[in-house]
Amino acid sequence: MSQSPKSNRTVFRRIARQSHVDYPVYDSTPLYDRTSLAGLESDIRVVSATWFRHDSHVSVEEFVCELPLAYFRFNTHDCYGGLTRYEMDTLFRVFVLKELHGWDHETPLVEYLGSHPKLSEGIGLDTVPDQSTLWRSWNQRFTTDLRETVETAARTILIKAQNAGVDVPHEPERKLQHRLDDSDEPEPDDQTVLDQAEKLTDHVSRVVFPAFSLDRDEGCEIHENAYWDLQTYLGLRENLAANEGARSFTYESTRERTPLGHAHREHLRDLSIEQIREMYRQAIGRLLGEAAETEEFFRAGIVAIDITEAEPFTGDRTGHEDEILGTKEQSDEYAYQWATVQLVGNAVPIVLDARPVRRGESRLEIVEDLLDSAEELVNVDNVLMDREFDSQHVLEMVSQRELTYVVPKRMQTSEKAQAKRLLQRDQDRYETDRKLHLGKNEWHETTLIYRRKEDSDHDDHRQFSVFMTNRGSGHLTEYGYRWEIESGYRSIKRFMAATTSKNFGLRFFYFAFACLLYSIWRAVDLLVQVELTGEYEHSPIVTADNTLTLLKKETGIG
C-alpha cells in the first residue's frame, strides 16, 4: 500500500500532537522566517521523522513529491531572479532525488526521470529538463547555501527512512557534511576545534532556545530572548545571582534593553513546574534532532535515573517542609532534591528530563514519570539506578516495559549471611534467583549477583556488593556507566545561577536550565568531534568553559 491523502493527514495530525516539536518552525519562533534554510531543514526533519513510521509510507521517492515546501520562499536563494521555465521548488525536489540516489552527475538523473513519468509528474515536471539545464540550475542558479540544504535534506530523509525500516537507494552518511579540509588530521588543533564549536553552538542555540517562552503580553519593550540571554549569562559565572548578574548584563550585553533582576525572577516565578518541564522536553527534543543526524548517537540506549541535591539549605524552611527535604545521607541537613534521567554509556550524556522531588512521592512514581519522558525521546534498552530505587515495585514496572535494569541492593540479614559464606569459601562472585513479594500473592523474579570489591578496606561482608538484574550477569558491567551521572551533576551545578529564594518553581527552573546548558555542551562536543574526526570519543574535546564562552557570544554579550 502506498501513501494516500488519508495517510498524509494522519502523519500531520501525529505531528500536531507532538508537544516537543514545532511545525512549521518559522511560525513558532522569531529566529526563522520563510526564507530561513535552517528552518526548512528543521521542517523536513520533523516531517520525515513521522512520515516513515506510517505503514503506508515505504518509498523515499514518494516523500520527495510530498516535501513540505509550501511555506518556504526560495526567491532569496535564486541567483536568476527572473522568469524561468522550472520553478525553484520543483528543482529542489529534483536535486533531492539526485542526492538520495547518490548520483554524481545529472545524466543518470535525466535518464531516471525519463523512465519514471509518474514520479516526474509528482515532482512537478511537465517535461524532463536536459542535462545542461540541470547543471546550470545546480551550479549557477542555486546558491551555495541552498545546495548544502539539498544535501542535508537528502541525508535526513535517508536516515529517517532507514531508521523506520524503509528501503533506501544507498546508505546515508550518518555524520555531518562539509568536513573541513584538514579533517583527516587525527588530532585537530585547538583553534580548529573552537572555530567548529562556534559554528555549531550558534546553530544549536538557535534550534534549542526557541522552545522556552514566557507568558507575557504583546508589545513588551524588552524582547523575550533577552530573558533567556540573561539566564544563560547567569550560568556563565559561578555563584552569580540575578540582581548582580542583571546589572553586569546591562553593561556587557549589546542589547538596547535588558531585564532587571527582580523582573527576571518575577517572570520565572510565574512559570509552573509543568510548564518548565514541558519547555525543557521540547528543547531536548530539538537538541536530539540535531544529535540524531550522526551514527554515533545511535549508541544511545542506556539511561541512568538518579536524584541529586542542591547545596544544604541553612535558612528557615517553615512552610516549605515538603520541598526542602532531608538529604539522602542520614544527617540533620536539608536540601532541595531533583531527579533526572540521562543518557549514559557510549552515548552522548544528554539529560533527557528533570523533575523536582517532593515529600510523599514514591520512587515508583518518580521512575515511571522519567521513563515516560525518556521513551518518548529515545529508544531505551537498559535502565541503571542507585540503591535508593531498590524497590520490587519499581523493578516490576521496569520489567513490564520490557527493559533491562541493574540496581544495587541494600544488604539485609540474608544478603549479609550469604556474603559471609562467600568469604569463607574465598569466592569472588555468586548468582542466585530471588522472588520479591509484590503483594496479593504476586511476585517479581530477579537475579541477585554478589561481586567482591577490589582493594576493599573491610574484612567482613562489606567486601561484597549485591546487584539485582532481570537479564543476567552480562549487564552488570554496564553499571559502571552510572558514575557519569555523578560527574554530570558536578558540571550541571557549575552552570547554575545562584539564589537564596525559597520559591520552588524558581529553584527548579535554575536547575533545569543548567541541565539544558550542560546538554548543549555535550551535544556540541559530539557534533564537533564527528565533524572533525568522523568519530566520537566520550572524553570531550570542547570544554564546558569553551561552550559557555561561545554561548556568551550568542547572547550578545561582549
Side-chain angles (χ1 to χ4, degrees), residues 233-242 244-245 248 496-499 510:
Y233 180 69
L234 297 178
L236 300 178
R237 300 174 181 173
E238 293 187 68
N239 300 317
L240 185 61
E244 179 187 352
S248 299
M496 283 186 67
T499 183
Y510 278 13

Side-chain angles (χ1 to χ4, degrees), residues 13 18 30 127 238 245 291 330 342 366 398 448 457 522 541:
R13 287 189 185 120
Q18 295 176 26
T127 59
E238 293 187 68
Q330 298 299 319
Q342 177 178 313
I366 292 170
V398 174
L448 266 57
D457 294 331
R522 299 310 302 253
I541 65 172

Side-chain angles (χ1 to χ4, degrees), residues 37 65 177 212 274 437 441 477 558:
L37 292 172
C65 300
Q177 298 289 318
F212 281 80
E274 291 71 24
H437 190 224
N441 202 31
T477 56

Side-chain angles (χ1 to χ4, degrees), residues 383-401:
V383 183
L384 310 178
M385 294 175 284
D386 201 0
R387 59 174 42 84
E388 64 187 299
F389 298 100
D390 168 10
S391 162
Q392 60 267 43
H393 297 285
V394 171
L395 304 183
E396 177 67 13
M397 181 271 295
V398 174
S399 290
Q400 287 179 354
R401 292 173 182 251

Side-chain angles (χ1 to χ4, degrees), residues 34-45 47-48 60-61 63-78 84-101 103 109 113 119-120 122-125 129 133-134 136-139 141-157:
R34 294 177 68 174
T35 66
S36 301
L37 292 172
L40 176 59
E41 292 171 12
S42 176
D43 284 350
I44 292 174
R45 184 183 302 111
V47 175
S48 61
V60 296
E61 292 182 352
F63 182 66
V64 171
C65 300
E66 304 293 336
L67 282 174
L69 305 180
Y71 300 104
F72 191 73
R73 293 175 178 165
F74 284 96
N75 55 305
T76 60
H77 310 285
D78 184 354
T84 56
R85 181 172 183 180
Y86 298 103
E87 298 292 336
M88 286 288 284
D89 61 337
T90 299
L91 290 172
F92 186 89
R93 297 179 196 277
V94 167
F95 289 122
V96 168
L97 178 68
K98 175 176 175 286
E99 291 296 323
L100 289 175
H101 283 274
W103 292 318
L109 173 61
L113 289 170
L119 174 61
S120 297
I123 286 176
L125 292 171
T133 298
L134 289 177
R136 288 194 302 273
S137 296
W138 178 255
N139 291 282
R141 185 175 181 184
F142 275 36
T143 64
T144 300
D145 289 341
L146 183 59
R147 292 199 296 268
E148 291 181 359
T149 293
V150 168
E151 295 166 357
T152 298
R155 188 178 69 256
T156 296
I157 294 167

Side-chain angles (χ1 to χ4, degrees), residues 478-489:
E478 294 177 352
Y479 192 77
Y481 294 138
R482 225 200 111 267
W483 70 268
E484 297 165 10
I485 204 167
E486 298 295 341
S487 174
Y489 281 148

Side-chain angles (χ1 to χ4, degrees), residues 84-224:
T84 56
R85 181 172 183 180
Y86 298 103
E87 298 292 336
M88 286 288 284
D89 61 337
T90 299
L91 290 172
F92 186 89
R93 297 179 196 277
V94 167
F95 289 122
V96 168
L97 178 68
K98 175 176 175 286
E99 291 296 323
L100 289 175
H101 283 274
W103 292 318
D104 294 328
H105 305 287
E106 289 76 23
T107 300
L109 173 61
V110 172
E111 294 174 350
Y112 192 80
L113 289 170
S115 60
H116 293 78
K118 187 175 180 180
L119 174 61
S120 297
E121 182 182 353
I123 286 176
L125 292 171
D126 293 328
T127 59
V128 177
D130 58 30
Q131 184 270 336
S132 61
T133 298
L134 289 177
W135 187 92
R136 288 194 302 273
S137 296
W138 178 255
N139 291 282
Q140 297 176 3
R141 185 175 181 184
F142 275 36
T143 64
T144 300
D145 289 341
L146 183 59
R147 292 199 296 268
E148 291 181 359
T149 293
V150 168
E151 295 166 357
T152 298
R155 188 178 69 256
T156 296
I157 294 167
L158 290 171
I159 290 173
K160 301 304 183 185
Q162 192 176 59
N163 291 347
V166 172
D167 290 336
V168 295
H170 81 284
E171 285 288 319
E173 289 188 34
R174 291 185 181 267
K175 55 183 174 61
L176 300 178
Q177 298 289 318
H178 324 305
R179 298 274 295 279
L180 300 182
D181 292 339
D182 60 351
S183 61
D184 290 336
E185 296 181 9
E187 295 184 3
D189 60 77
D190 292 344
Q191 189 58 51
T192 299
V193 170
L194 285 175
D195 290 345
Q196 196 65 16
E198 181 172 10
K199 181 180 77 172
L200 290 167
T201 302
D202 170 60
H203 174 67
V204 167
S205 62
R206 288 176 179 270
V207 169
V208 170
F209 285 137
F212 281 80
S213 63
L214 296 170
D215 186 14
R216 300 193 305 156
D217 295 332
E218 294 185 5
C220 294
E221 293 184 5
I222 300 177
H223 196 285
E224 183 173 292

Side-chain angles (χ1 to χ4, degrees), residues 222-395:
I222 300 177
H223 196 285
E224 183 173 292
N225 287 350
Y227 289 86
W228 311 128
D229 291 352
L230 173 56
Q231 188 63 38
T232 303
Y233 180 69
L234 297 178
L236 300 178
R237 300 174 181 173
E238 293 187 68
N239 300 317
L240 185 61
N243 282 344
E244 179 187 352
R247 287 193 294 268
S248 299
F249 185 60
T250 299
Y251 294 110
E252 293 195 54
S253 174
T254 57
R255 290 185 177 274
E256 292 184 3
R257 293 183 61 86
T258 59
L260 298 175
H262 72 273
H264 181 69
R265 289 196 306 273
E266 282 299 319
H267 282 300
L268 296 182
R269 288 192 188 107
D270 288 340
L271 296 172
S272 68
I273 299 294
E274 291 71 24
Q275 287 175 309
I276 295 169
R277 292 190 66 195
E278 180 59 29
M279 290 190 297
Y280 184 86
R281 286 189 291 258
Q282 287 187 30
I284 291 299
R286 291 166 174 264
L287 188 62
L288 292 174
E290 297 297 311
E293 294 295 311
T294 67
E295 181 179 18
E296 287 71 19
F297 178 78
F298 287 85
R299 300 174 182 177
I302 306 175
V303 299
I305 294 175
D306 208 343
I307 294 175
T308 189
E309 300 163 351
E311 293 299 319
F313 185 84
T314 57
D316 180 10
R317 68 186 189 108
T318 302
H320 299 272
E321 291 88 350
D322 291 341
E323 301 163 354
I324 307 174
L325 309 177
T327 59
K328 293 190 290 182
E329 300 295 330
Q330 298 299 319
S331 71
D332 58 357
E333 292 183 329
Y334 298 94
Y336 290 91
Q337 294 185 7
W338 321 114
T340 64
V341 57
Q342 177 178 313
L343 288 171
V344 294
N346 291 322
V348 55
I350 289 174
V351 180
L352 301 174
D353 195 12
R355 74 187 307 278
V357 178
R358 296 181 177 90
R359 187 179 306 281
E361 292 179 320
S362 69
R363 293 299 187 252
L364 174 62
E365 181 181 352
I366 292 170
V367 174
E368 195 165 24
D369 183 20
L370 292 175
L371 281 181
D372 284 344
S373 295
E375 290 193 291
E376 185 179 347
L377 292 168
V378 298
N379 293 321
V380 178
D381 298 317
N382 306 332
V383 183
L384 310 178
M385 294 175 284
D386 201 0
R387 59 174 42 84
E388 64 187 299
F389 298 100
D390 168 10
S391 162
Q392 60 267 43
H393 297 285
V394 171
L395 304 183

